[in-house]
Amino acid sequence: MGKSNAAKPPSAQGGPITEKKPAVQPLAKKSHDDFTSDGVEDNDVFLLPVSDYQIMLLVTIIGAIVRLFRIYQPTSVVFDEVHFGGFATKYIKGKFFMDVHPPLAKMLIALAGWLAGFQGDFDFKEIGKDYLEPAVPYVSMRLFPAICGILLVPITFLTLKAVGCRTATSVMGASLIIFENGLLTQARLILLDSPLVVATAFTALAFTSFTNQHEQGPSKAFDISWWFWLIMTGLGLGVTVSIKWVGLFTIAWVGSLTLVQLWVLLGDTKTVTMRLFAKHFMARAFCLIIIPVSFYMAMFAIHFVCLSNPGDGDGFMSSEFQATLNSKGMADVAADVAFGSRVTIRHVNTQGGYLHSHPLMYPGGSQQQQITLYPHKDDNNIWLMENQTQPLDVNGVEINGTQAWDNLQNFTTNYIKNGDVLRLYHQPTHRRLHSHDLRPPVSEQEWQNEVSAYGYEGFPGDANDLFRVEIVKKQSASGVARERLRTLQTKFRLVHIMTGCVLFSHKVKLPDWASEQQEVTCAKGGTLPNSLWYIESNAHPALPSDAEKVNYVNPGFFGKFWELQKVMWKTNAGLVESHAWDSRPESWPLLRRGINFWGKNNRQIYLIGNPFIWWSSTLAVVLYAALKAITVLRWQRNYNDYSNTTFKRFDYEVGTWVLGWAFHYFPFFLMGRQLFLHHYFPALFFAILSLCQIYEFVTTRFPIPGVRDNPIVNKIGVVALLAVSAIVFALYAPLSYGNAWTKSECSRVKLFDNWDWDCNNFLESYDAYDRIDTNPIPSSPAATISEKVAPPVVPAAAPPAANDNEPAQEQANGVISGAPKFEPQGQKVLSREEKIEYRDQDGNLLNEEQVKALEGKVEFRTRYETKTRVIDGDGNEVLLSPEELAGAGVAPPHPDVEGANKETKKAPVDDAAAAIPKEASSSKDGEKEAEAQAPKPASEGNEATAEQNI
C-alpha cells in the first residue's frame, strides 16, 4: 500500500482539502443524519484486549509499590494529620465537631482507624507528636489515602483508553501519575486530597465513557452501557462533592458538557422528537442532579448519626441544633416569665453561650466582678429577674429581700412586658448586673461601656442596675411572645437606663484572668444581632403545676443539614488570614512554591510536584489555548479547519480536558481565603490528560510523515518521557518519603529560592546517617565570636547571680543561669558538665598564669557553647562532626506560627466577629467550678479547620 501524502492547508477562500487518500485524512463531511459524531469508535473499557488489562495491572502494581514504600515513615504527626486524624478521634468517640469540608473522606479515614483497633485515645494535636509509643494504627489510617492514590493509576489508564488512546499513551498517562511527587506525598498521609483526586478522576472516566456511548448516536442511547456510565457519573459527582466542595467545580464541568450534548440533541430534528428529547433531559437530570444530591445528603445523615454527643463544635450551631445532641437536650420549661423568675439568658448571634458571672474581679477598670459569656450550663448562669421596685404586701408596704417575689398572689399581673424596667440579680454571688461609663477591659472603644456585677447580699442596688426590656418583634415568635417575655420564643434587648447602651457581646475573648471566656459589654448603638438575647430556662416558685411548657423545636434532619451548610460556608469564607505556606493560584501552574509538611531527625517532607510533569502539563494547556486562538482567527478569515475530522476530534477531546482544567483552576482567583498548592491537584490531573491526549494526536493521528504510520515512534517517545519523569521523581523523592538526603544533593536540585525547604537540615553524607541513631540529639548553636577582636571586659569566671527562685539543686550543681539551656528531644541525658575556659582572639586556650597576666590589660567576652557527646548502648562515644551534630533538625512548628504570604487577602479589622469562635475554658467559681464542675466533652478543643483546602 502506498504511502499517503500529507494534507495541504486549506485555501484562503476556504476551498476543499485535496488528498490522494481521503480515508487517511477524512473530511468532516456529515456522514450521519442524526446526532452521531464523526470519527468516533466504540471505546468501551470493558471490551479492551486482555493484554491491555495485563499492562494496566502491571502499571498499577508499580504504582502500589511507589505509594506504599515506607508508608510507616515518618512515625509522627505530619502537617494536616493534626486535623484529619483528630477528626477520626472525634468520629470514634461520637463527639460533634464542625469542619469546612463535607464528611465522606473523614468518615472513611475514621473507619480505617476503627477497623485497625483505634479507640480514639490519641489527639493528633501537634506536628511531630509520636505515633509509636501510644500504639496508634496510623499506617492503617494512611492506607486509605494510599489506596486512593493507587486507584488513580488504573483510572487514568482507562480514561485515556475511553477516548481512544493507544496503550502506550495510556501507560504514559498512568505512569505520569505514579511519578508525580506531589500526588505521592498527599497519598501517603492522612489527608483528603488523594480521595478527592481519585473521585474526580472516576467522575472523568465515567463521563468520558458515557460521552463515548452518546456520540455513537441513537443506536447506543438508553442501552445498559449508556445507563451504567450515566449513573456512575452521577455517583462520582456525589462522592467528589461529599469529600470537598471542590467537587462543585467537577459538577460545573460535567454540567457544561451535558448542556452541549442536549444542545446537539435539540438540533437533531430528524431522529430526536421532543418526547425523546425530554427523555434524554430527564435521564440526565435524575442521574446528574438527583443522585449526587441524594448521596451528598446521605453522607451528612451518617455524619449526624456518628456524632451524637456534644463536642467542641457545638458553639458553631444554634441552640435548636445543640438540643438534638445527647445530654444537650433539656426538659420542658415554663413559658411565662414574670418578676421573680430564675432564668438563664442566652446570646443569639455568636452562640457564645449564657450570660454569666463568677467571683473573679476585673484587674482594671472598676475592678468589680466579671460578666462574661460562658458556653456551658452552670449554676453561675442563673439570674433572678427583679422589678425596679419591691412588691407590696396587703397593707401596701414594700416587702424587702430578693425572695419577696416568690409568693406572688397574682402571677399574671407580674408578667414582664415590652418596655418594663428590671434588675438582674446574680443569686450565686448576690450581685446585680451593672454598667457605667468605663471602658471594657479588652474592647476599649468609646462606644462601649464596661458591664460588671456589683453589690452584696442585702444591698438594695443603685440606678446603674436598671435595664429596660425591648422586645424585637421581627425576631420573636408570633402572638403573645411579641408583647411579653416568653421562654425561647421572645428575642429581646436590654437597654441600660442611665447611659442608653445595650447589653452586647461579640466574638472577643477575655484573657486568662477570665478563663478566656467571651466579653460582654454595653454598646452604644450596638448592632442588633450582637445585642439580641433570649431566655432558655425559667423557673418560678409561684408557677402553677399546670403552667404552659415550651421546648426547643427539633429542626429535623433537613433543618440540621441546611444549618450546617450555612455554617460551613460562612466559616470557609472567613478563612482569610495569611498562612505561612499559602500561595496564590497564579503560582501553581509554574510550581513556584510548595508546603513544608514535616521535618525531624535531619529529614524533611515538603510538598513539591515533579517539575518535569508539572511544567509539561502546563505547556500542553498553553499550547492548546494558543492553537484554539489561532483556529478562531483563521475561522474569521474563512479558513475551514473544522472540515477536517481529525482536527475536529482534537479540538473537542483535548478541549474537554482543558475545560476541566479551567473549571478546577480559575475559580480560585475569585477566592480571598487561604489557598495552598494542593488545591491545584484536580486541575493538574486534567492537565496531565491534556498532555497525553495532545501526545496521542501528534504521534498517531495527525498526518506527520514518518510518525503516524510508525508505531515505534509513539512508544519511543513514551519511554523517553517516562525516563525523564522517573529520573526527576527520584531526585525529589527524599522530600516525598522523608528519606535521608545530603546537603549537596539537596542544593543541586533546589532550582529556585521560592522552593523554601532548607538544605541545611540534611547531613553532609549518607554515612553520617548510618553512624547516628534514628533520633539524633540536636545541639544548641553556640554564640559566634568575631575574629581578631579583643574580648570585652565581662570575665567568664563571674557568671550572673543565681535566681533565688531557681531550684536549690540546680544552683548546687553550678548551672550558669545565663547559658542557653540544652533540651534534647527523645534522648536520655546521662550527665551534664560545665566548665569555664579562657581563650585569646585566635581561639588558643589560656592557662591560669596567662589569664592573670592579662587582667586589667584586655577585656574578656562571655561566650556560651554547648557540646554534645553521643553515647551508644555500650557506653562508647560515637564520634560525629560538628556539622552533623548541628544539622539535627526538629519538627517545624505548625505553619500558623510562621511568617505570612503577603499575597493572601486579610480580613478587615471590623470583621472580628466573623472569626471562628474559640471554645471557652472552664468557668471559675473557686474550687467548685475549677475542679468539681469543669465542663466535660465540650471543653476539649479542636475547632473547625482553619488551613484546609476547598
Side-chain angles (χ1 to χ4, degrees), residues 442-496:
V442 175
S443 300
E444 298 183 1
Q445 293 89 350
E446 286 296 323
W447 56 276
Q448 296 205 67
N449 291 342
E450 179 190 86
V451 175
S452 64
Y454 176 66
Y456 51 86
E457 188 172 6
F459 179 67
D462 63 23
N464 280 329
D465 301 339
L466 300 178
F467 289 84
R468 183 178 69 253
V469 175
E470 184 179 284
I471 294 176
V472 181
K473 296 182 178 181
K474 290 184 178 180
Q475 300 288 336
S476 302
S478 59
V480 69
R482 297 184 177 184
E483 304 299 329
R484 56 184 172 87
L485 292 187
R486 296 265 294 179
T487 306
L488 299 178
Q489 299 173 355
T490 303
K491 305 298 188 296
F492 61 92
R493 305 205 301 171
L494 291 175
V495 183
H496 191 242

Side-chain angles (χ1 to χ4, degrees), residues 77 85-95 110 113-114 116-125 129-138 141 940 942:
V77 178
F87 294 150
T89 294
K90 291 177 173 60
Y91 274 118
I92 292 172
K93 290 186 175 181
K95 293 183 177 181
W114 179 76
F118 183 46
Q119 300 298 318
D121 48 5
F122 184 78
D123 56 22
F124 296 87
K125 281 193 177 297
K129 190 168 184 178
D130 181 55
Y131 284 137
L132 297 181
E133 184 176 352
V136 181
Y138 70 101
M141 299 173 73
E940 301 178 11
N942 285 344

